[in-house]
Amino acid sequence: MRAMILLLLGMVVGAAALSAVWATTRGTDGNVDVRIVVERLDDGRVEVGLQHREVSGAWSETEKPERRFLAPNAEAGLALYSSEIVVDTDSRHELVANSYGAYLVESGEDIADRFSEYFGEAAQEDLPKMLCIEDLNDPGIGQLCDGLGQGYGGTVERLAVSDYDEFRTQIETAVREDGDLGGDFATSVPIADIIDETMEENRT
């Protein structure tokens, strides 16, 4: 039950963080600030380029198309066009995905600290192996396992699950036979339920 409570708390906090990230990136999807850079060269020609505003708020380096010069003897009243420039900037959805992914990794590291502290105080020896189960049927927070693996002081074995019946057999075997296994962390409620049921059946 402890594992499920921890998971659900993480999901609630994660949802709040996702909302905050979404709010701060409002207006960045489909809208890119650009400005034209114009410079007169020593030979009299005028060179044009383009800058776009980065996510940080700073302006990018000047992008210079192949056709970018206005000659001193250019005909008056005649519009001239540069080569096209492709502005590559993150969309709002990409910003949210990147920011939320980083948040999940940091959260996994925090969870690893809690497990390390708990097992360290209980065992007073090397930390036991942890099993982090990523539910492929409920994607979105699998990067918690990345953070758990980075922050935990012992071994973290990662298991990706799509078949619940197959996983039930796997976890039953692990609970009964893997003497090095100290705990499990699930990224979904169905996986947490299966773990709780298996541990209860084996009185673990």
Side-chain angles (χ1 to χ4, degrees):
M1 184 61 69
R2 179 180 299 152
M4 186 183 296
I5 292 173
L6 178 62
L7 170 70
L8 294 176
L9 177 61
M11 293 172 73
V12 171
V13 174
L18 180 60
S19 298
V21 171
W22 186 264
T24 58
T25 59
R26 179 172 299 160
T28 58
D29 193 11
N31 299 308
V32 181
D33 292 336
V34 298
R35 66 183 183 184
I36 304 299
V37 181
V38 182
E39 181 181 2
R40 181 179 294 279
L41 304 181
D42 292 338
D43 61 7
R45 293 181 303 168
V46 175
E47 183 182 43
V48 297
L50 181 75
Q51 291 181 327
H52 70 269
R53 194 183 296 278
E54 303 281 5
V55 174
S56 64
W59 289 99
S60 70
E61 293 185 7
T62 302
E63 301 175 63
K64 297 181 178 181
E66 182 179 349
R67 296 195 305 273
R68 62 181 183 275
F69 296 106
L70 179 65
N73 59 352
E75 181 181 342
L78 177 63
L80 301 175
Y81 302 93
S82 73
S83 307
E84 65 181 30
I85 294 177
V86 177
V87 177
D88 185 14
T89 185
D90 288 339
S91 69
R92 186 179 181 194
H93 296 282
E94 290 170 324
L95 290 173
V96 170
N98 293 336
S99 299
Y100 192 54
Y103 164 80
L104 290 172
V105 172
E106 292 176 4
S107 298
E109 292 175 342
D110 291 341
I111 293 167
D113 289 339
R114 297 178 200 172
F115 279 127
S116 297
E117 181 180 354
Y118 173 79
F119 286 129
E121 292 178 353
Q124 295 298 324
E125 57 186 21
D126 292 339
L127 297 176
K129 181 173 72 175
M130 284 289 298
L131 184 62
C132 190
I133 304 99
E134 179 183 1
D135 189 350
L136 300 180
N137 299 307
D138 190 10
I141 59 174
Q143 285 160 296
L144 283 170
C145 288
D146 295 335
L148 184 62
Q150 294 174 18
Y152 186 59
T155 300
V156 176
E157 182 178 328
R158 185 167 181 165
L159 181 62
V161 172
S162 58
D163 187 318
Y164 293 152
D165 291 332
E166 181 179 337
F167 170 67
R168 188 180 297 275
T169 301
Q170 288 177 304
I171 197 64
E172 285 177 355
T173 301
V175 167
R176 292 173 184 170
E177 301 178 6
D178 193 343
D180 296 330
L181 184 62
D184 307 275
F185 183 81
T187 65
S188 75
V189 172
I191 291 293
D193 284 340
I194 293 173
I195 294 174
D196 279 344
E197 291 167 5
T198 301
M199 296 178 68
E200 178 65 24
E201 290 170 359
N202 290 272
R203 295 292 189 267
T204 304

